[in-house]
Amino acid sequence: MAEKKKLILNCDPGTDDSLCIVMGLMHPDIELLAVTAESGNLTSDKSSINALKIMELMGRSDVPVARGMLHPLVRPHPSDPYSHGQDGLGNHFFPEPKLKVVDKHAALVIIDEVKKYPGEVTILCTAPLTNVALAFMLAPEIIPMVKEVYHLGGSYGVTHYAFSNATGDNPMSEWNVYVDPEAADIVYGSGVKLTTIGLDVAFNPEWVNILPETLAKLEKVGSTSARYALEIIDYVDRNNSLPDLFNNGPIDTVSMCTVICPEIIKTKEINVAIDTSDSQLTRGMTIVDCRNHFMWDNLHKIQTAYTIDSALYNRVFFEAITGLKYDEV
Amino acid sequence: MIRPALHLKHHHRRPGSGDPGRRLLNTSATVRKRCNFVISKKIILDCDPGMDDSMAIVMAAKAPQLELLAVTAVNGNYPVDVTCVNARKMLELLGKAHIPVARGMANPMVRPCPSDPFTHGADGQAENFLPDPITPLSPLHAVDLIIETVKAHPHEVTILCTGPMSNLAMAITKAPEIKPLIAEVIAISGAFGLNRYAFANATGDTPQSEWNVYVDPEAAKIVYESGIKLVALGLDVATHFDVNFSEEDIEAFRTSSRPEAKFLHQAISFVHNRGFEAYCTIIDCMAVGYAIDPTLVETISGHVGVETESVLCRGMTVLDGRHHHVWTHLPVIEIGAKADCGRFLQLLKELVLA
């Protein structure tokens, strides 16, 4: 058996983030080292409690949850126009958790785990990059020790959903980058091996959906995690921005599935800059320079997803939620 | 529909909509044959020649469907002292020296002028080195010539902007009463992300901007937000690789007896020698083509903001294409979405060779 992939999940649960925690706990190929709670969909005081609620739902107390920054590096925290429900978990109203967050800041947890397993730790960020940027600033020596970073973030103009589904509070930006563009700029420019999955792919209703066949299998399994996933998918489906379209894919799960099975997506290198100005129109925009001539050669060179295997996404999603083989159910 | 998911209203240009006289202006050959006369659309060409602006002058001055009332020169591709000379060189080449040329703004409204990384040659006209003009400039500043011309023909004048919008923005700031008197503004302006050409060919010195807006974004913002009917033909339609000439076309220009055809031939050779495609010589001509025949370009309407604050996005024309939370406070303009490049080229070739 292949060695498990060591993972830190930096997230802001959030409905779709909460499924990523479930998947990280359930999938046999993943060793979830820690969950670091970010301020994004909710501020980290609330998102860390939500992470603990999911731990208790899953009956797990072995994975530490750390609280991160309460607000972006240099800006106030904006409020999210997209509803994750009153509790941030699709109105599940789980009981207050008995588990506690660890007595260490999220950024320090990231630093210590990376140093404990140099070259082995993958960081998945389904939230703004505040905690990761802070860790990179506090301990730049860990940057070459991180195996790779995946970020569910940005809009790259690969498909028109990049902007028609823009989630930041202006026409051109994605929420996770919009909330803390300075943090994104630091991580994107850090030299760490980085793959981004933008709205182009993750919020593409033609590509990212949980298919009826998968839903039926989840019903059949009926475990705690399967039932929770069905409820979140239903919540996403009822609250999506395109009520006339079948569009139930929990966005963040695309990135968790990619960590588990990188072949799900295809990526290409892009030259990108983050707009950290105070421009109302373009703050947080991930600006791709694709000019034929006079291209700026000093921008961040990163990998971004341009397509996804929808069927494989469904298989990996199911297997990560249930811990079972897709074809055996 | 061009991009159904955008939920933007898609307009097929309807000849004659609004002004009854325009039915005749949207001439196809058949309409012209049925009429004994042609009612011309009165236009002001505000430009910064520039080789492609020079070709826009050729089309505007020769098209029977248009009545070119004035050419107003602005700083842009080259300083205004060069562009107002080049405009007169072109009109003299065409034997149209009676059309007034006015010198306009020497700088963007609030910024220093950037230098254009794309060269139009030592003379700004693809090194055609036309003779120095002998016609004097209009005694009026371009801004005042625009104001007076619009007031002399209320509701009749279409303004074509193929350069930065400094002159027009100053005119409507100085004399806001002309705003409702302008029939329409047709501009080579912006890049709206409707296809890959929009940004792959970005001409401003930021990744997603078009040169004319990039040079004077504040002026563009004033015009976009003015309430004047604006049709913006951006890089999405004006730098299409399909807008290119065949070997036969180029040979026809070379062997033509018309000096403007030889001018275009030299311009094509000039850009070819520098590794660019021939479309660079005629980008601005799309505005004139659209003025002659609006069916050449399909447009969509959309909410657009002009970026004036960000260093990285300066001059970007931000189209709000969101399904939800659309900013309706941004002005609605018409945006060129798809051009009939074949018919446009045919029109251009006929006018150049006529």
Side-chain angles (χ1 to χ4, degrees), chain A residues 88-255:
Chain A
L89 294 176
N91 294 331
H92 270 82
F93 302 113
F94 293 113
E96 280 303 302
K98 295 186 183 62
L99 288 172
K100 301 281 180 229
V101 294
V102 295
D103 187 22
K104 195 187 327 183
H105 191 278
L108 300 177
V109 169
I110 292 171
I111 292 168
D112 289 352
E113 292 298 326
V114 170
K115 284 187 172 174
K116 190 153 58 165
Y117 305 105
E120 290 186 58
V121 177
T122 297
I123 300 172
L124 168 60
C125 183
T126 60
L129 283 158
T130 317
N131 292 334
V132 182
L134 192 58
F136 283 9
M137 286 193 292
L138 282 168
E141 68 273 16
I142 69 167
I143 295 171
M145 299 161 73
V146 174
K147 186 178 177 197
E148 56 189 326
V149 174
Y150 287 92
H151 188 216
L152 196 294
S155 289
Y156 303 95
V158 179
T159 72
H160 69 78
Y161 294 107
F163 303 122
S164 63
N165 278 347
T167 49
D169 192 18
N170 62 39
M172 308 307 287
S173 68
E174 180 276 334
W175 177 253
N176 289 336
V177 180
Y178 172 80
V179 170
D180 198 345
E182 285 78 12
D185 198 34
I186 287 167
V187 176
Y188 282 35
S190 68
V192 79
K193 186 184 174 194
L194 175 69
T195 301
T196 63
I197 303 166
L199 297 177
D200 320 71
V201 171
F203 207 171
N204 185 328
E206 295 165 37
W207 293 346
V208 176
N209 276 305
I210 308 300
L211 303 172
E213 179 184 304
T214 311
L215 295 174
K217 283 177 187 283
L218 289 169
E219 292 276 6
K220 194 173 163 194
V221 171
S223 63
T224 300
S225 60
R227 277 186 279 115
Y228 182 65
L230 284 167
E231 286 160 13
I232 294 296
I233 291 165
D234 181 57
Y235 184 85
V236 172
D237 196 23
R238 281 186 284 113
N239 288 278
N240 76 52
S241 59
L242 304 166
D244 50 332
L245 271 181
F246 190 62
N247 172 212
N248 65 4
I251 300 178
D252 291 344
T253 63
V254 174
S255 60

Side-chain angles (χ1 to χ4, degrees), chain A residues 81 160-161 163-166 168-172 241-242 273-282 285 287-294 296 299, chain B residues 3 5 7 117-118 199-202 204-208 241 276 279 305-307 309-310 312-313 316 318-325 327 330:
Chain A
H160 69 78
Y161 294 107
F163 303 122
S164 63
N165 278 347
D169 192 18
N170 62 39
M172 308 307 287
S241 59
L242 304 166
I274 313 273
D275 196 338
T276 55
S277 75
D278 289 329
S279 161
Q280 289 186 2
L281 287 167
T282 57
M285 180 179 175
I287 306 154
V288 177
D289 193 345
C290 61
R291 285 175 289 181
N292 296 326
H293 39 255
F294 307 121
W296 288 340
L299 304 184
Chain B
R3 298 173 68 212
H7 293 306
F118 177 80
F199 303 133
N201 291 341
D205 194 20
T206 55
Q208 308 205 331
F241 296 125
F276 288 90
Y279 74 81
V306 179
E307 177 51 51
E309 296 166 58
S310 159
L312 290 165
C313 298
M316 183 176 176
V318 177
L319 169 62
D320 192 340
R322 284 177 290 180
H323 296 300
H324 44 257
H325 308 301
W327 283 349
L330 297 175

Side-chain angles (χ1 to χ4, degrees), chain A residues 305-325:
Chain A
Y306 65 88
T307 189
I308 182 168
D309 182 335
S310 305
L312 188 55
Y313 162 67
N314 267 261
R315 294 179 77 89
V316 176
F317 176 84
F318 173 85
E319 294 182 0
I321 290 289
T322 63
L324 302 170
K325 290 287 177 201

Side-chain angles (χ1 to χ4, degrees), chain B residues 182-201:
Chain B
I182 297 170
E184 186 175 25
V185 173
I186 301 169
I188 298 297
S189 185
F192 300 94
L194 301 180
N195 56 45
R196 66 192 172 87
Y197 302 109
F199 303 133
N201 291 341

